[in-house]
Amino acid sequence: MVEAILFMLGLGAASGAILSAASKVFYVYEDPRIAEVENCLAGANCGGCGYAGCSAAAVAVVAGEAPPSVCIVAGAESAANVAAVMGMEAGAAEPLRSYNLCRGGERADDKYQYMGINSCRALSMLYGGKRECEIGCLGMGDCVKACQFDAIALGEDGFPVIDELKCVGCGACAEACPKNILEVKKMSDKLLHFNQQDDRIAPCTQTCPAQIDIPKYIEQIRKGDYEGAVNTIRERNPLLLACGRVCPHPCEDYCRRGIEDEAVSINQLKRFVADYEMNSGKRLPISCAPDTGKKVAIVGAGPAGLSCAFFLRRLGHSVTIFEMMPKLGGMIRYGIPEYRLPKEVLQWEIDGILKLGVDAHTNVKLGRDFELGSLVAAGYDAVFMGIGAWKDYDLGVEGENLNGCYTGINFLTRFAKKQQGDAPLEEAIPIGDKCVVIGGGNTAIDCVRTLVRLGAKEVSIVYRRTRNEMPANMVEIEAAEHEGIKFHFLAAPTKVIGDENGHVKQLEYLKMELGEPDASGRRRPVPIAGSETLMDIDMLITAIGQGPDTAFVKDGKRLDDLKITKWSTIDALNPETLQTNIPYVFAAGDAYTGASLVVEAIGGGRRAARSIHLYLTGQEVTAPPKSLYKEHIPESIFESVEGITPKARTPMPELPVEERIQSFVESDLVITEEDAIYEANRCLNCCRTCYDKDVA
Amino acid sequence: MGDYIVLAISCIFVNNILLGQFLGNCPFLGTSKKMETAVGMAMAVVFVLVMAGVITWILNTYFLVPFGIEYLRTIGFILVIAALVQFVEMFLKKSIPALYAGLGIFLPLITTNCAVMGVCLINVNEEYTFIQALVTSFSYAVGFGLALILFAGVRERILLARVPKPLQDTSIGLVTAGMLALVFYAFKGMV
Ligand SMILES: Cc1cc2nc3c(=O)[nH]c(=O)nc-3n(C[C@H](O)[C@H](O)[C@H](O)COP(=O)(O)OP(=O)(O)OC[C@H]3O[C@@H](n4cnc5c(N)ncnc54)[C@H](O)[C@@H]3O)c2cc1C
Ligand code: SF4
């Protein structure tokens, strides 16, 4: 017994002594923070972070090789704790999420019955994996089995559906999938993806300047998933209420159904879901990446600026808007009149963007209240110029400055300011009886329709070319016709004649005829000699186009070498990066393209957001690889489509003419839910379904 | 020399510590889901088992037997192995950081591994000489690694197979281990 006690004591003492000696001899200095950091991690030793266990991850954090958010299991709180230990701010690393990238595929060569083991890997090894398409999902659910977090399930269609809340982005599914359909990506990769030559994208999506995944949201509408549809659109276009109302929908021109039947009414569907969200009384949540600590200044809060702000904010950058007008929105607030886009609707949409944490200063103008130098001094890392095209072109004829003569943008913005109560002291513009608007674009049409609503007795448009060449949206032209506007085509104003008080009295114009097509493909009007005609008028608005006001360039410091084109637009080095010759200045929207469309500005805003993100994260600012920019995949544009039974397109509901010309209430209405589902069913779901017409 | 080879074969295949003696089942099931971890674990076991085999043999031969206190074997071995693992960890961290980086997270797991303990006890029970004890310890560890790596390979594939719900995960793991054990049974007549 005594030996036993002695022995155990001796053994214990010896071990203890050796160990304590060893801990001195083999002492390795270890940063005490390593242990602290390790305590904050999840302790799962799962290796999902890419390091061999939690202690290795802690070492990497302390060494500055890994961000505080390294642990993929423990979440934001742990990141904050780690950051506290390290004395820095959490953030920087964006969470990875798994995404199902399958969008359907091509028609397969064979269809076969598969009887083997239920594993995608086995199936793809045996048959190369052609179920019904070449690239598509094999549907055996290897990813589901590989996911340790129960975040993937096979959805109704047999494709994996990812539960974003459960997904930690460990990448096990992507590793298990033999067809590379699942991929773990950062939010920025997803938000900043641009159409690629090898993407499977429908003709409409290829055409959309904002690159919205159109058939996807139409399918979501068909299934009644309106919220999903809103999210799909918002991934590419944060101004869906506005676009749903005013977009001339270039996508519909390329709609495949349109080859054999009338095109799908894509934009009305967008408006339907956008209104659905607004009327539902709650906003769908929008996720933002952790703060990066980078600051971006957005000059001009039109669609381009708002879109750029939205995407940059979602990528975690801090964004401040500087706007010269009293309210945000740009041309879609001060140009497009109330009856087309009610200010209340617009405000709801803009509020949603500001709620993400975007700051805005109004009534401050670049070149007057601040300049590029002050932004740099205030610590902004990059500047986005979305100043639009606000300067009316002059007609260049005698007498255009007489009393009673106005220019389009000036007239519309003055009126809009008055109407919104932005400028209560300013005098209202007196409206004449016989009003003439010169021009054929949206501005001209908006002027005449506004004049009608303001009680002008006779309103006409004078345009150099014919109705076919008018650049305004077709629905707008038709609406103007219904509202009793007179059109004088092939008429070029040559002189404005005033009365003895200097007020406009008559307009002299030359009649024209159409000649050879010009560079834009439109037939050039040529004057008929000696055809001068006089027209009695008492108010004249010239709306023959507008360009950016880049006067600030000359007197600003730092900006004086910003490259401006001969059309006075801001020049970019590459249309796909939108970076200007000053590396931290980016431009998009009308300021870059010249007067264009809202969707174009939105797409440009996102494109610029991508470049700014690259710039801020220290990457090279280059165009997206393999990008499909303003072109179509030739094989996807068909001459004819088989097997289409024509189904009438849903007409746009609008207020009766007599009612709508009395006031500024919205004249175009939203389609009913029933019509929306009917219309969604007209979509052919191009480039999404895997089908084999001979077998099925 | 021939004897040692026979001894080694018997330890690696015939009396495989995992599949013949069913010792060390927790790491066998716990670290066999991924090939990478299985390899790391196998290396760590080789390392620790050889050391533990040697130390415990010395402890037994020069302390326990002379003083006639063999009944303290189990508790003594536990203490020694635990201290040894700690010691090795510290030593590696200072002297061979590269090896430590590879084995680091597995070393503490082995402190309480019954395969290690089992081998030490077998060495003593069979009254092996020092060299024999060294060879058996090493061979048992290699057998452990072999079985673990084989098993991890099988399990990686099972992960992708269709397994009935009630049998998933550990259950199918145990069934598979049983079958593997049957396979190893085929070595029985060899030595
Ligand atoms: C009357 C009219 C009708 C239209 N109708 C349609 C239509 O139906 N469908 C369609 O798709 N498109 C239409 N458009 C075109 C569309 O409105 C524009 O293409 C779009 O608004 C361009 O967006 P943007 O952000 O580039 O510029 P803008 O919307 O013009 O915004 C520029 C912003 O920058 C601000 N800004 C300018 N200079 C400065 C400065 N120096 N400092 C600070 N801020 C500054 C402006 O106040 C403005 O808020 C219409 C345009 C007009 C004028
Ligand atoms: S049918 Fe549908 S998917 Fe095809 S082009 Fe038209 S809207 Fe796009």
Side-chain angles (χ1 to χ4, degrees):
Chain A
M1 187 62 201
V2 182
E3 310 92 306
I5 294 173
L6 282 179
F7 174 76
M8 284 314 292
L9 278 177
L11 197 59
S15 311
I18 293 179
L19 281 184
S20 58
S23 74
K24 286 273 174 290
V25 175
F26 300 123
Y27 171 75
V28 184
Y29 171 75
E30 196 172 58
D31 198 320
R33 291 178 302 175
I34 293 179
E36 276 181 69
V37 168
E38 197 178 341
N39 283 339
C40 305
L41 304 179
N45 270 327
C46 66
C49 54
Y51 295 94
C54 298
S55 36
V59 172
V61 170
V62 173
E65 285 159 14
S69 52
V70 61
C71 182
I72 61 164
V73 181
E77 204 182 317
S78 132
N81 292 342
V82 174
V85 171
M86 297 299 297
M88 50 194 214
E89 277 177 33
E94 283 178 64
L96 284 161
R97 286 287 175 273
S98 167
Y99 297 107
N100 176 354
L101 300 179
C102 180
R103 297 164 144 173
E106 298 150 15
R107 197 180 137 195
D109 303 341
D110 322 297
K111 182 170 177 167
Y112 54 84
Q113 242 18 69
Y114 177 71
M115 313 257 284
I117 174 174
N118 272 1
S119 144
C120 307
R121 192 169 285 183
L123 176 50
S124 87
M125 281 195 296
L126 283 172
Y127 294 98
K130 282 182 186 145
R131 184 170 63 162
E132 289 183 22
C133 62
E134 279 189 353
I135 43 84
C137 171
L138 299 169
M140 296 291 177
D142 280 13
C143 47
V144 179
K145 292 168 207 153
C147 181
Q148 306 229 3
F149 300 91
D150 201 18
I152 304 189
L154 284 188
E156 267 171 47
D157 307 329
F159 292 123
V161 179
I162 292 128
D163 183 340
E164 283 206 28
L165 293 177
K166 288 186 187 161
C167 174
V168 301
C170 67
C173 51
E175 236 168 73
C177 178
K179 303 301 287 179
N180 298 330
I181 285 166
L182 291 163
E183 206 177 291
V184 280
K185 282 184 158 194
K186 291 183 194 139
M187 177 138 71
S188 56
D189 298 331
K190 199 171 159 228
L191 284 181
L192 301 180
H193 178 85
F194 282 85
N195 285 351
Q196 281 184 7
Q197 277 148 8
D198 50 5
D199 278 346
R200 294 167 295 281
I201 32 180
C204 45
T205 302
Q206 294 177 37
T207 315
C208 176
Q211 308 192 344
I212 304 172
D213 192 341
I214 293 166
K216 180 170 172 195
Y217 83 74
I218 296 188
E219 184 175 326
Q220 285 165 320
I221 294 175
R222 183 164 49 229
K223 291 187 180 149
D225 177 12
Y226 304 138
E227 300 191 351
V230 168
N231 285 334
T232 304
I233 300 171
R234 197 166 273 144
E235 206 91 291
R236 294 286 175 265
N237 179 345
L239 299 172
L240 47 167
L241 281 167
C243 267
R245 283 170 167 75
V246 305
C247 186
H249 40 70
C251 52
E252 293 179 20
D253 299 344
Y254 275 87
C255 175
R256 254 182 215 168
R257 180 172 271 278
I259 299 170
E260 307 289 338
D261 186 11
E262 289 170 284
V264 175
S265 189
I266 300 173
N267 203 41
Q268 296 210 65
L269 288 171
K270 182 188 298 124
R271 165 153 183 199
F272 169 75
V273 282
D275 280 23
Y276 170 86
E277 189 203 5
M278 183 176 65
N279 296 333
S280 75
K282 67 172 185 359
R283 292 177 192 272
L284 294 180
I286 301 172
S287 56
C288 291
D291 285 340
T292 58
K294 299 280 183 201
K295 285 168 68 181
V296 184
I298 307 274
V299 182
L306 290 170
S307 155
C308 190
F310 172 82
F311 287 105
L312 286 172
R313 180 66 207 112
R314 292 198 60 186
L315 296 171
H317 305 299
S318 91
V319 179
T320 315
I321 293 177
F322 298 89
E323 164 60 51
M324 68 172 180
M325 298 299 273
K327 295 202 172 85
L328 308 182
M331 246 352 146
I332 57 175
R333 179 185 289 277
Y334 292 101
I336 296 181
E338 170 83 15
Y339 61 86
R340 282 219 277 148
L341 174 58
K343 308 294 180 241
E344 204 185 309
V345 172
L346 179 63
Q347 192 58 47
W348 192 86
E349 186 140 87
I350 293 175
D351 284 345
I353 298 176
L354 296 181
K355 276 204 166 82
L356 299 178
V358 173
D359 279 340
H361 300 288
T362 50
N363 289 316
V364 285
K365 183 173 178 180
L366 177 68
R368 183 187 65 197
D369 305 302
F370 66 98
E371 47 180 331
L372 194 61
S374 32
L375 294 179
V376 174
Y380 287 97
D381 300 289
V383 178
F384 173 79
M385 299 278 223
I387 54 164
W390 280 59
K391 205 164 132 193
D392 288 295
Y393 291 147
D394 290 336
L395 201 52
V397 302
E398 188 189 325
E400 65 173 313
N401 295 322
L402 288 169
N403 289 338
C405 293
Y406 303 89
T407 54
I409 301 296
N410 185 292
F411 169 75
L412 288 173
T413 47
R414 271 173 71 182
F415 174 69
K417 272 165 80 174
K418 192 89 198 139
Q419 197 184 25
Q420 294 177 61
D422 285 354
L425 298 178
E426 208 169 294
E427 263 179 53
I429 298 177
I431 302 301
D433 283 338
K434 296 180 93 178
C435 307
V436 165
V437 174
I438 302 171
N442 276 320
T443 314
I445 303 275
D446 283 338
C447 288
V448 291
R449 292 185 70 191
T450 301
L451 285 170
V452 166
R453 283 164 175 73
L454 290 174
K457 293 214 177 68
E458 199 187 308
V459 184
S460 14
I461 275 200
V462 170
Y463 182 48
R464 285 192 311 150
R465 307 182 194 225
T466 70
R467 186 176 186 269
N468 287 340
E469 284 88 32
M470 284 181 83
N473 305 354
M474 195 38 90
V475 282
E476 291 301 304
I477 300 174
E478 282 165 9
E481 285 168 349
H482 295 161
E483 290 171 10
I485 312 293
K486 286 202 197 124
F487 286 77
H488 300 273
F489 294 116
L490 293 168
T494 43
K495 202 196 290 180
V496 186
I497 302 160
D499 60 14
E500 54 286 1
N501 304 326
H503 194 87
V504 51
K505 193 174 81 178
Q506 278 177 320
L507 174 72
E508 184 195 83
Y509 63 90
L510 265 181
K511 292 194 176 146
M512 317 283 273
E513 58 187 0
L514 287 181
E516 295 297 303
D518 64 5
S520 69
R522 300 186 295 181
R523 288 175 67 193
R524 187 198 300 274
V526 271
I528 307 173
S531 64
E532 286 88 351
T533 316
L534 284 178
M535 197 176 173
D536 286 339
I537 57 171
D538 57 6
M539 180 174 182
L540 179 77
I541 298 178
T542 23
I544 54 162
Q546 63 262 8
D549 181 359
T550 45
F552 57 82
V553 172
K554 274 176 247 85
D555 22 78
K557 291 183 198 76
R558 276 177 180 272
L559 260 189
D560 44 7
D561 53 352
L562 181 69
K563 260 221 204 101
I564 303 291
T565 65
K566 62 178 178 205
W567 302 278
S568 84
T569 56
I570 300 176
D571 202 8
L573 299 179
N574 176 333
E576 295 192 57
T577 64
L578 298 169
Q579 189 177 29
T580 67
N581 61 324
I582 305 178
Y584 55 91
V585 177
F586 300 78
D590 284 3
Y592 168 70
T593 55
S596 178
L597 299 179
V598 176
V599 256
E600 191 71 51
I602 289 170
R606 186 167 72 96
R607 218 171 259 287
R610 173 181 171 277
S611 304
I612 294 175
H613 181 72
L614 291 178
Y615 177 78
L616 293 180
T617 49
Q619 301 171 63
E620 199 185 342
V621 182
T622 50
K626 293 192 274 179
S627 89
L628 189 72
Y629 177 64
K630 294 208 180 294
E631 54 178 342
H632 290 90
I633 302 168
E635 300 84 2
S636 71
I637 305 299
F638 295 170
E639 291 284 301
S640 65
V641 188
E642 279 170 50
I644 297 211
T645 337
K647 281 200 243 171
R649 173 180 159 115
T650 311
M652 183 176 67
E654 38 184 8
L655 284 184
V657 173
E658 312 76 55
E659 201 177 312
R660 73 187 192 220
I661 60 170
Q662 303 292 331
S663 73
F664 279 86
V665 289
E666 186 164 22
S667 57
D668 297 348
L669 306 175
V670 63
I671 54 175
T672 61
E673 178 162 4
E674 204 181 318
D675 283 345
I677 292 178
Y678 165 82
E679 193 61 32
N681 272 305
R682 293 182 70 232
C683 174
L684 304 176
N685 219 2
C686 306
C687 310
R688 294 199 86 230
T689 352
C690 316
Y691 76 113
D692 185 337
K693 59 185 172 188
D694 301 331
V695 180
Chain B
M1 188 65 205
D3 283 355
Y4 292 127
I5 292 177
V6 171
L7 190 63
I9 288 181
S10 124
C11 295
I12 297 177
F13 296 106
V14 185
N15 294 317
N16 185 289
I17 188 86
L18 285 174
L19 297 171
Q21 324 227 18
F22 281 94
L23 287 169
N25 261 310
C26 4
F28 187 47
L29 290 167
T31 58
S32 59
K33 278 193 187 152
K34 250 184 161 179
M35 190 51 96
E36 268 172 66
T37 24
V39 173
M41 186 68 183
M43 306 242 294
V45 166
V46 172
F47 197 81
V48 171
L49 236 182
V50 173
M51 308 272 297
V54 169
I55 296 271
T56 50
W57 187 89
I58 295 173
L59 183 74
N60 188 60
T61 322
Y62 296 107
F63 295 94
L64 299 180
V65 176
F67 294 104
I69 42 172
E70 287 97 333
Y71 56 88
L72 283 178
R73 204 175 271 155
T74 313
I75 190 163
F77 283 11
I78 289 179
L79 198 94
V80 169
I81 295 175
L84 174 77
V85 173
Q86 291 289 315
F87 181 84
V88 167
E89 207 184 334
M90 282 189 258
F91 173 76
L92 286 186
K93 203 169 188 176
K94 172 87 179 178
S95 318
I96 324 179
L99 194 57
Y100 176 78
L103 301 184
I105 48 170
F106 301 104
L107 285 175
L109 292 176
I110 306 173
T111 321
T112 49
N113 183 340
C114 53
V116 177
M117 186 70 186
V119 171
C120 299
L121 291 174
I122 290 172
N123 285 345
V124 172
N125 285 346
E126 299 281 331
E127 297 180 355
Y128 285 141
T129 63
F130 181 77
I131 302 290
Q132 280 174 327
L134 193 68
V135 172
T136 35
S137 306
F138 180 74
S139 314
Y140 271 126
V142 170
F144 181 97
L146 177 76
L148 184 64
I149 289 168
L150 279 180
F151 190 52
V154 175
R155 278 192 94 177
E156 275 198 345
R157 280 173 184 69
I158 290 181
L159 200 63
L160 301 179
R162 187 179 42 164
V163 178
K165 258 255 140 59
L167 281 182
Q168 275 170 10
D169 218 24
T170 313
S171 342
I172 191 80
L174 284 167
V175 173
T176 321
M179 288 200 222
L180 263 183
L182 278 177
V183 173
F184 270 71
Y185 229 69
F187 294 118
K188 266 281 142 88
M190 263 175 73
V191 186

